Amino acid sequence: MPVLRGKEVKERLFQAQGPRRLYVTPLLEPEQQIDDAAGAVDVRLGTTFIVGRRSGITAIDPLGLAEAGIPEQPRELSFERNYESVYVPVGQPFVLHPKQYVLGATLEYVRIPADLTGQVIGRSSWGRLGLIIATATIVHPGFTGVITLELTNVEEVPLVICPGVRIGQLLFETMGDQPAEVQPPSGRYAFSTEPTISRLLRDPELRFLRRLSRRE
Amino acid sequence: MALARRWGTVGLRVHQLLEFIWHSDWKYIPYVWAAPLENLVQRAAPTAQPILSSWWAYNYFFATISPAVVELEEWLGIGPPLCPLLPVLGTPYAEKGNALLHSILAHEVGHLALDQHPVQLPAPELTSDALGSLSGEPLTAPQAPPGSLFEHTLRESLTGEFSRAFRAWAQEIVADLFALQMLGPAYFFAFSFLGVSADMLSEPDRSQPPLGVRCRALLRAVEAWGHLGALPQPLQQVVLQWKTFGWEAPQLARVHQLVQDSLEQHLDALIEAVNGAAESLGLAYSSEAYRRDVEALRNRILDGVPPDTIGTVPYHAVSLAAILNAAWEVRLAYLPELQRLVAGDKFDPEDANQRSQALGVLNRLTTKAIEYHAIATQWEKARARTEG
């Protein structure tokens, strides 16, 4: 699968219409953000973070398997209670402590056409300071929304980051020869405008796994 | 004693201010509105430091904190006043995520504009004929004392009430018209949306003109300022339907009925006065701007993308008014298309749950576009300062 070059990325962003169009918005400094040679688009850190509330939980147990009295139905709301959303305006600091793990998102909202796939990677300048921004790096064809980033500081001292800073890069690859078709954005994270916590509870096999857990 | 009284008033105001500030935390307010609202407010009052606050009561409101403090400063001989103008714009907490409905905030900015730049309001007086028609009945009642004292008092109070109500009601209509200038048809749609709920769910508020009068004033202005022609056909139909909407006729005292009649006669004068004032303050959103921007923004929403820009390179965020108008277009005339995008293969136009999901997406995309508008505006200012 060939990686799109800068010229092709620009054509997709600024000239293409209909199903071929790639949206990455807002590109506040397009000349700075689009790397012609690498075909990469720099993405910025968004303004909302999701931080875990550690004090009230014994373990992150998204499947609810370790709890007594395992419920039949998923309990997304009760799972969400373990997290807190924090808004930080552009230019203001957010301190990421050593080994701390929070969810952030790209400032940019993207829509990937059906014939492309995206890959989000950290900027090495931040990586050298101990920041990891993503583990699930593939952005699927048709994805629409801000891209949730899994931020971790692997350094031993706190790291100050701030919304608006260029934090990662998006690369695009074509999906082979298949023509672009209009496909509705789908999936559990579609149209997200803020970082989104894990929707693991919506996995269809969970009910089966629960039954196994109860030895039914 | 006088000083203590003044300190008491100031203390009360400061207490109110602290409460408003407490409720202006981003967790309580539609925080992405803060910067665009500040921009609008400072066009009306350049030195103002607005506070966006939220309240549990279901009400949008406008209040000012500083007059009591300024009064104290004047009394103590401190000059020029140290306290900046602190207008508080309030939103109902229950509607925190309802980006489209917050168009109503423009009405509250309209009150500030009127405070700072008084519009010449007509001041009709109660004619003696009208007064006669009002005062005849009680004066001829058997228990009414003969003679002039009672009649004089009654005439005075009726005349006073007529002037007070006319002024208060006219101010509300002027604030509506300022809001229409700032946001274009988006304000009219938000007003009618909220107005219908108020009309059906609550008692009429006598401090405000009947909703039907406000609606008629806005409809006249929508046409007079060229907005009707800028709307796409389905939206024009929506506007025209409001012309025949049967607002519940409130039970008005006869003096207030006269106020209403008099207001209706002066609507054109109010529309003209606000048009001029808004132009001079740089608050006006023109129908030409609507024609230029809104269709492209609407198409972005229908692509599932925030309606934040119409250009390509370099990036320019569109105005708050353009974003809201695109969102209202989708809300009122194109929601099934968005629902089709959100629901995909399972699209069913009758499915209320799908419609609700589409409305949720619309609100999120609109909120995101407003956030981008604010960020881009601040970004450009910072860049200009950096580059000298």
Side-chain angles (χ1 to χ4, degrees):
Chain A
M1 293 194 294
V3 175
L4 257 57
R5 294 175 178 280
K7 195 177 157 191
E8 293 165 311
V9 170
K10 283 182 177 170
E11 190 272 330
R12 291 288 193 133
L13 282 170
F14 304 131
Q15 285 159 22
Q17 296 295 328
R20 291 185 68 254
R21 181 158 186 189
L22 166 68
Y23 285 103
V24 180
T25 189
L27 284 172
L28 295 171
E29 305 283 353
E31 294 306 320
Q32 196 181 66
Q33 284 182 257
I34 302 174
D35 182 336
D36 277 330
V41 178
D42 283 359
V43 287
R44 300 178 188 278
L45 183 62
T47 49
T48 310
F49 299 88
I50 294 179
V51 184
R53 299 176 201 260
R54 293 183 181 186
S55 55
I57 55 172
T58 51
I60 296 174
D61 179 20
L63 313 186
L65 296 180
E67 291 179 16
I70 299 163
E72 184 66 25
Q73 294 299 322
R75 296 157 307 127
E76 214 155 68
L77 274 177
S78 118
F79 181 59
E80 282 180 10
R81 238 178 266 143
N82 298 330
Y83 294 90
E84 175 183 31
S85 183
V86 178
Y87 173 75
V88 182
V90 165
Q92 298 297 311
F94 180 89
V95 181
L96 196 60
H97 288 272
K99 311 296 181 281
Q100 189 183 6
Y101 171 77
V102 302
L103 295 178
T106 57
L107 179 69
E108 292 81 5
Y109 187 101
V110 304
R111 177 167 180 179
I112 313 274
D115 65 332
L116 293 184
T117 183
Q119 192 175 9
V120 61
I121 54 175
R123 285 181 72 202
S124 65
S125 303
W126 280 106
R128 289 167 208 209
L129 297 172
L131 181 68
I132 295 174
I133 69 158
T135 52
T137 60
I138 300 294
V139 189
H140 291 163
F143 174 81
T144 303
V146 296
I147 300 170
T148 293
L149 304 172
E150 297 116 9
L151 304 167
T152 311
N153 174 12
V154 296
E155 248 288 8
E156 290 175 359
V157 290
L159 180 66
V160 179
I161 52 180
C162 91
V165 73
R166 284 182 294 138
I167 200 161
Q169 290 188 314
L170 256 177
L171 294 162
F172 303 96
E173 296 172 23
T174 57
M175 297 287 289
D177 296 332
Q178 103 185 35
E181 290 174 9
V182 180
Q183 283 185 348
S186 59
R188 55 187 78 171
Y189 303 110
F191 304 110
S192 50
T193 53
E194 291 181 354
T196 315
I197 63 165
S198 170
R199 299 270 185 252
L200 211 57
L201 281 169
R202 296 186 191 176
D203 280 358
E205 70 272 25
L206 273 195
R207 184 168 286 195
F208 167 69
L209 286 170
R210 282 203 177 83
R211 288 190 183 280
L212 279 181
S213 170
R214 287 190 290 196
R215 299 178 190 282
E216 286 179 7
Chain B
M1 188 63 189
L3 182 63
R5 202 165 46 239
R6 279 168 201 272
W7 274 115
T9 312
V10 172
L12 193 64
R13 297 288 183 176
V14 169
H15 173 74
Q16 278 181 342
L17 175 63
L18 291 175
E19 271 203 296
F20 286 134
I21 290 173
W22 176 257
H23 285 96
S24 67
D25 185 275
W26 70 271
K27 287 178 184 171
Y28 301 112
I29 60 165
Y31 52 91
V32 299
W33 277 76
L37 268 180
E38 186 171 285
N39 184 23
L40 279 182
V41 163
Q42 290 184 343
R43 271 188 256 167
T47 57
Q49 295 294 320
I51 298 167
L52 184 58
S53 187
S54 107
W55 218 243
W56 307 116
Y58 193 89
N59 192 20
Y60 287 87
F61 64 88
F62 166 71
T64 46
I65 294 296
S66 28
V69 184
V70 170
E71 192 190 336
L72 183 78
E73 285 175 348
E74 281 172 3
W75 194 77
L76 292 172
I78 300 170
L82 301 172
C83 179
L85 181 62
L86 297 170
V88 177
L89 302 170
T91 59
Y93 178 71
E95 297 291 359
K96 185 190 167 192
N98 194 340
L100 280 70
L101 198 60
H102 295 321
S103 310
I104 293 291
L105 281 167
H107 171 91
E108 312 308 334
V109 180
H111 278 299
L112 178 70
L114 183 58
D115 257 17
Q116 297 297 302
H117 307 274
V119 170
Q120 193 65 41
L121 297 176
E125 286 178 2
L126 212 49
T127 61
S128 52
D129 283 352
L131 192 56
S133 75
L134 287 175
S135 57
E137 195 176 303
L139 287 178
T140 53
Q143 70 272 26
S148 60
L149 181 59
F150 180 75
E151 185 180 345
H152 176 75
T153 308
L154 186 61
R155 279 173 192 273
E156 215 169 46
S157 76
L158 287 172
T159 311
E161 176 56 18
F162 178 87
S163 301
R164 186 208 62 75
F166 185 91
R167 186 165 182 77
W169 291 13
Q171 284 177 346
E172 288 299 323
I173 287 174
V174 166
D176 278 342
L177 294 171
F178 265 121
L180 189 70
Q181 278 281 345
M182 285 177 239
L183 297 186
Y187 177 71
F188 172 74
F189 295 130
F191 167 84
S192 48
F193 194 84
L194 194 66
V196 168
S197 317
D199 197 37
M200 291 178 179
L201 299 174
S202 58
E203 293 293 314
D205 178 356
R206 292 285 169 264
S207 65
Q208 305 217 346
L211 290 165
V213 181
R214 292 174 68 177
C215 186
R216 284 192 286 280
L218 285 168
L219 280 167
R220 268 198 223 185
V222 163
E223 284 195 79
W225 294 339
H227 289 303
L228 186 61
L231 293 171
Q233 194 60 32
L235 267 288
Q236 287 189 18
Q237 290 304 317
V238 171
V239 172
L240 294 175
Q241 280 166 7
W242 281 105
K243 281 192 161 180
T244 55
F245 180 76
W247 293 98
E248 196 171 329
Q251 294 289 319
L252 294 176
R254 280 190 295 165
V255 65
H256 291 143
Q257 188 62 53
L258 285 176
V259 172
Q260 178 176 321
D261 296 345
S262 185
L263 257 181
E264 302 256 16
Q265 287 165 18
H266 288 90
L267 287 184
D268 287 335
L270 292 177
I271 290 168
E272 200 171 318
V274 171
N275 193 26
E279 289 275 345
S280 67
L281 292 171
L283 283 170
Y285 174 66
S286 69
S287 56
E288 289 74 29
Y290 190 109
R291 286 176 211 268
R292 186 188 62 220
D293 298 340
V294 175
E295 185 181 354
L297 296 174
R298 182 184 80 214
N299 289 335
R300 279 176 81 90
I301 297 176
L302 297 177
D303 272 352
V305 176
D308 58 325
T309 183
I310 56 167
T312 50
V313 183
Y315 179 84
H316 284 299
V318 291
S319 65
L320 178 68
I323 294 168
L324 290 168
N325 280 293
W328 275 105
E329 279 199 5
V330 174
R331 173 72 182 82
L332 294 172
Y334 299 91
L335 195 63
E337 287 185 45
L338 184 60
Q339 186 181 330
R340 186 188 298 277
L341 180 77
V342 173
D345 297 340
K346 295 175 184 157
F347 173 65
D348 171 4
E350 302 303 318
D351 187 326
N353 191 36
Q354 281 184 11
R355 197 160 51 245
S356 164
Q357 283 178 354
L359 276 175
V361 169
L362 175 62
N363 262 308
R364 294 209 297 276
L365 295 179
T366 307
T367 302
K368 202 67 190 169
I370 295 168
E371 183 183 11
Y372 288 159
H373 164 85
I375 290 172
T377 307
Q378 290 166 339
W379 193 274
E380 278 174 27
K381 278 185 194 164
R383 188 203 287 130
R385 280 198 300 270
T386 310
E387 290 171 356

